[in-house]
Amino acid sequence: MSILFIADLHLDDSRPQITSLFERFLATDEVRQAEALYILGDLVEAWIGDDDDAELPRRIAQATRGVRDAGVPVYFMAGNRDFLLGDSFAQRAGLTLLDDPTVHALHGRPTLLMHGDLLCTDDVAYQTVRQQVRTPQWQAQILSMPLEARRAFAAKAREDSRTHTGSSMESIMDLNVGAVAAAMRHAGVTRLIHGHTHRPAVHEFELDGRAAQRIVLGDWYEQGSVLRVTPTTVDLKGLSIG
Ligand code: MN
C-alpha cells in the first residue's frame, strides 16, 4: 500500500481545470485505498480565513472529507499561502493539521516533512516576513478584518507578487543545502520530503556518511504531481489534466 504526497496545488478560481483534477484525483480508488494522504502546503493560492464562504473552500472540504470518510487519514501542513487555515476548516474538511516541521514514520522509516520555505534561509527578507505573519497577533488582526477586505488584501498581494516576478508562476530562491543538512541532522532522519520550490526531484546524497534522500514535490500549475511511497520504493510522477 502507498502513502501519497501532494503539495503546491495553488488552487485558485483562475485555474478551474486544476481544481477539477484535484477533485478527480481524490475520488480515485488509489487515494481512497491509500494508507494516508499528505498535503504539504500551498493547497490554495490564497487562504483568507476559515470563515471564507466562497465555493472553492467548500469544494476542497468536500473532496478531502470524502477521502477521510473512506478511512484514509488526510494530513495537512500549511505553506506560505495557506498558513491561516485553522482548526475550524480542518474539522469540516477532515484534515489532521501538522506542524512544520514534523517527523512521521513512513512504513517504519522516520521521515522529515516540511513545506520547504523554512529551508530557504538565503532569502532573509522572506524569513523576516514569515516570522511576522506567523505571530498570533498579526493573524488575529488580519482575521478580524471583514471578509471582503481580506479578499481585496489577498488580490493585492497576488498582484504585487505577479508584478515582482513578471509571471503568475512563483519564482523561488532554492533551498540552502546547509539548512537542509542541519534540519535532517536535528530531526535524526535520512529522508526529507518537502514542496515549495516547484523543482520536483528525488535527490540522493550523503549525510554524515549515510545514504540520504530529499524528495521535492512538484507544483500543480499545468499538471498534477504525486509522490507514492511504498515500503521499498518512492515514485514521483506528473498527473495529466486530460
Ligand atoms: Mn510555498
Side-chain angles (χ1 to χ4, degrees):
M1 280 226 297
S2 288
I3 303 175
L4 306 175
F5 288 84
I6 56 178
D8 300 292
L9 293 90
H10 293 265
L11 298 180
D12 187 67
D13 290 338
S14 66
R15 283 189 304 279
Q17 70 280 16
I18 296 295
T19 305
S20 309
L21 180 63
F22 169 70
E23 289 174 326
R24 274 182 280 132
F25 176 61
L26 263 59
T28 57
D29 287 345
E30 184 190 16
V31 173
R32 303 280 168 123
Q33 290 162 14
E35 271 175 70
L37 172 66
Y38 287 81
I39 304 170
L40 294 188
D42 289 358
L43 172 59
V44 295
E45 184 72 14
W47 192 262
I48 59 170
D50 291 0
D51 55 339
D52 187 0
D53 56 4
E55 190 198 351
L56 183 61
R58 207 160 40 235
R59 284 173 64 179
I60 292 171
Q62 193 175 5
T64 53
R65 165 60 63 189
V67 177
R68 175 67 269 193
D69 287 348
V72 180
V74 184
Y75 297 104
F76 174 83
M77 178 182 286
N80 48 300
R81 300 306 189 102
D82 43 21
F83 57 85
L84 286 174
L85 195 154
D87 290 328
S88 150
F89 182 80
Q91 197 135 45
R92 232 179 309 149
L95 304 174
T96 303
L97 298 180
L98 299 179
D99 288 333
D100 183 359
T102 285
V103 175
H104 268 198
L106 308 179
H107 308 112
R109 179 170 176 186
T111 303
L112 178 60
L113 310 176
M114 303 180 79
H115 175 58
D117 56 331
L118 272 172
L119 298 168
C120 298
T121 51
D122 296 332
D123 195 343
V124 176
Y126 169 73
Q127 294 299 337
T128 306
V129 171
R130 187 187 191 278
Q131 267 191 347
Q132 185 200 336
V133 302
R134 301 291 176 120
T135 60
Q137 294 88 329
W138 189 91
Q139 300 196 353
Q141 192 191 334
I142 289 293
L143 291 174
S144 70
M145 289 161 60
L147 262 180
E148 272 319 307
R150 276 180 271 154
R151 265 189 203 117
F153 184 76
K156 172 86 167 58
R158 252 176 310 197
E159 189 56 38
D160 288 352
S161 128
R162 255 195 287 275
T163 314
H164 185 64
T165 60
S167 91
S168 62
M169 304 270 174
E170 284 194 324
S171 123
I172 292 164
M173 233 181 250
D174 208 355
L175 308 184
N176 178 295
V177 290
V180 169
M184 294 179 73
R185 207 173 275 134
H186 182 255
V189 300
T190 54
R191 182 162 67 186
L192 163 64
I193 300 174
H194 70 83
H196 183 63
T197 60
H198 303 185
R199 291 175 170 97
V202 179
H203 299 281
E204 311 276 357
F205 60 105
E206 228 178 68
L207 180 69
D208 304 330
R210 292 196 295 169
Q213 201 172 40
R214 176 168 69 91
I215 304 166
V216 190
L217 306 171
D219 65 76
W220 285 50
Y221 276 120
E222 272 147 17
Q223 58 164 9
S225 176
V226 181
L227 171 70
R228 299 165 172 92
V229 177
T230 73
T232 52
T233 61
V234 294
D235 177 40
L236 179 63
K237 271 206 185 70
L239 185 67
S240 95
I241 288 176

